[in-house]
Amino acid sequence: MKTTQTMPAAPSALAVEKTQSGFHKFLVRFRKNWQLHLLCLLPVAYILLFRYVPMYGLQIAFKDFKPRAGIWGSEWVGFKHFISFFKAYNFTQIISNTLLISIYSVLVGFPIPVILALMLHVSERKVLKKVTQNVAYMPHFISIVVLVGIINQILNPVCGVVGTFYHMFGGIGVAPDIRSSASAFRHLFVWSGVWQQMGWNTIIYVAALSGVSHELHEAAELDGASRWKRVLNVDLPAIMPTVSIMLIMRFGTIMTVGYEKVYLMQNDLNLSTSEVISTYVYKTGLGKMQMSYGSAIDLFNSVINTTMLLLVNAIVNKLTNGEQGMF
């Protein structure tokens, strides 16, 4: 009896792809989506140039850097500069000032944009909503120098708003100078920052709220839920993943207080509460040309930020069963 031999079936496209090397598959995907890769080229180059290349200079934190000798030619001193910072007379003051301002900013400045975004989402008056959004966004585009100038003009005890009202209500002499008050510095710094950034920070939450399904609101409304109940049980849970990611990223910069605004608002009378790590690094690293010492402090600051990022991410993963963490 004549038997027919069946030819082996041609390998499927999936099997062929599995046998290909990873580099070959990357080339195939690159040819298909070369426009997208071209768009990514500029931000990737920016990150490499301004974030990774400067890491080469971190080694001066462990050396006694001499500009004439260069980075490689400078003497290796290990943890000398770190120990000097830990033993500095103002170490505790600088760390506490940085932490207090950062934690204050998180406690006040983080929830306000979320609340504002929920209020804008709930509002049914489109014109009022648009006007409020535009007015809230505008302060973000004011430079730090101009913002501090506005604060100084308002709080000027002689010719500012405070000085004018002081004399209008019967004040004698010069009004108290709030700008020189050490106890008022943190409040001025934090609340001026909230005013400047709260509108801009609502953008991502407004975008997240726009993706909330209307069917969920309709179902909740049929069950008799009020608008407030729908905000708590529909809108807020929907944006919680976004809120969690933003909170983790915010804690990743817990020790980073921008020196520009602090330095401009700083004076000899409020120095006890306004001296933070960034201004101290600027004064010692560039002002006194102690570059190794300043680099050591900045590296210590980055290590604390990274530790806080990992810690808060682990806590969020633990509380949400790994659903809302960054990694």
Side-chain angles (χ1 to χ4, degrees):
M1 185 174 180
K2 189 175 180 181
T3 60
T4 58
Q5 295 181 352
T6 59
M7 297 294 293
S12 63
L14 181 61
V16 172
E17 185 178 0
K18 287 183 177 179
T19 59
Q20 293 175 344
S21 65
F23 182 72
H24 180 72
K25 289 189 289 185
F26 170 77
L27 289 178
V28 172
R29 286 195 293 266
F30 184 83
R31 291 193 189 100
K32 290 181 179 179
N33 306 291
W34 67 269
Q35 298 95 336
L36 296 177
H37 288 85
L38 187 63
L39 287 174
C40 293
L41 183 61
L42 186 61
V44 169
Y46 172 82
I47 293 174
L48 291 175
L49 184 61
F50 293 101
R51 301 302 183 198
Y52 284 91
V53 173
M55 289 185 182
Y56 168 78
L58 284 178
Q59 57 184 303
I60 70 174
F62 304 94
K63 292 187 173 186
D64 191 7
F65 177 68
K66 304 294 183 185
R68 179 172 296 182
I71 295 178
W72 283 107
S74 299
E75 180 185 359
W76 182 273
V77 294
F79 292 96
K80 172 187 173 182
H81 302 297
F82 294 91
I83 296 173
S84 298
F85 177 57
F86 297 152
K87 291 183 177 180
Y89 74 95
N90 55 353
F91 171 78
T92 305
Q93 183 186 70
I94 293 172
I95 297 297
S96 62
N97 288 342
T98 306
L99 284 175
L100 286 173
I101 292 176
S102 293
I103 294 173
Y104 190 3
S105 299
V106 172
L107 293 178
V108 174
F110 187 80
I112 287 180
V114 179
I115 297 171
L116 180 59
L118 290 171
M119 293 173 63
L120 292 172
H121 182 68
V122 169
S123 177
E124 296 180 355
R125 300 182 179 181
K126 294 183 178 180
V127 175
L128 178 62
K129 182 177 178 179
K130 292 294 183 182
V131 171
T132 303
Q133 283 181 311
N134 291 330
V135 171
Y137 294 163
M138 287 169 61
H140 171 78
F141 300 99
I142 300 175
S143 69
I144 296 297
V145 177
V146 175
L147 176 64
V148 176
I150 294 173
I151 295 173
N152 289 331
Q153 288 296 323
I154 293 174
L155 301 180
N156 192 301
V158 178
C159 58
V161 176
V162 171
T164 302
F165 275 99
Y166 178 77
H167 292 106
M168 284 176 58
F169 288 98
I172 300 174
V174 181
D177 192 355
I178 303 175
R179 300 170 300 175
S180 301
S181 173
S183 59
F185 175 80
R186 295 191 186 103
H187 304 294
L188 293 175
F189 180 88
V190 171
W191 285 103
S192 62
V194 171
W195 172 77
Q196 186 180 23
Q197 300 296 339
M198 67 176 181
W200 183 259
N201 291 336
T202 59
I203 293 176
I204 189 170
Y205 302 119
V206 170
L209 286 168
S210 65
V212 178
S213 174
H214 292 286
E215 296 177 356
L216 295 176
H217 281 282
E218 292 174 358
E221 194 172 2
L222 289 175
D223 291 337
S226 63
R227 192 65 186 91
W228 172 246
K229 291 290 185 181
R230 281 185 283 150
V231 169
L232 292 180
N233 298 291
V234 178
D235 292 328
L236 193 57
I239 65 171
M240 279 308 296
T242 304
V243 173
S244 299
I245 296 298
M246 297 302 293
L247 183 62
I248 293 170
M249 294 177 64
R250 180 63 184 85
F251 270 95
T253 58
I254 192 68
M255 295 288 286
T256 303
V257 179
Y259 83 92
E260 300 97 340
K261 186 177 176 183
V262 178
Y263 189 74
L264 290 170
M265 295 178 64
Q266 200 174 76
N267 54 61
D268 293 337
L269 298 177
N270 63 18
L271 198 61
S272 60
T273 57
S274 64
E275 188 74 293
V276 295
I277 289 179
S278 57
T279 57
Y280 187 68
V281 169
Y282 172 74
K283 292 176 183 178
T284 56
L286 293 178
K288 299 180 180 179
M289 295 304 292
Q290 299 178 9
M291 296 182 183
S292 294
Y293 185 63
S295 298
I297 300 172
D298 212 20
L299 181 57
F300 164 76
N301 193 29
S302 300
V303 170
I304 298 298
N305 284 334
T306 304
T307 304
M308 289 299 298
L309 176 68
L310 297 175
L311 179 62
V312 175
N313 183 75
I315 293 173
V316 171
N317 280 329
K318 185 71 174 178
L319 295 176
T320 61
N321 295 322
E323 295 179 356
Q324 296 182 9
M326 290 184 65
F327 45 85

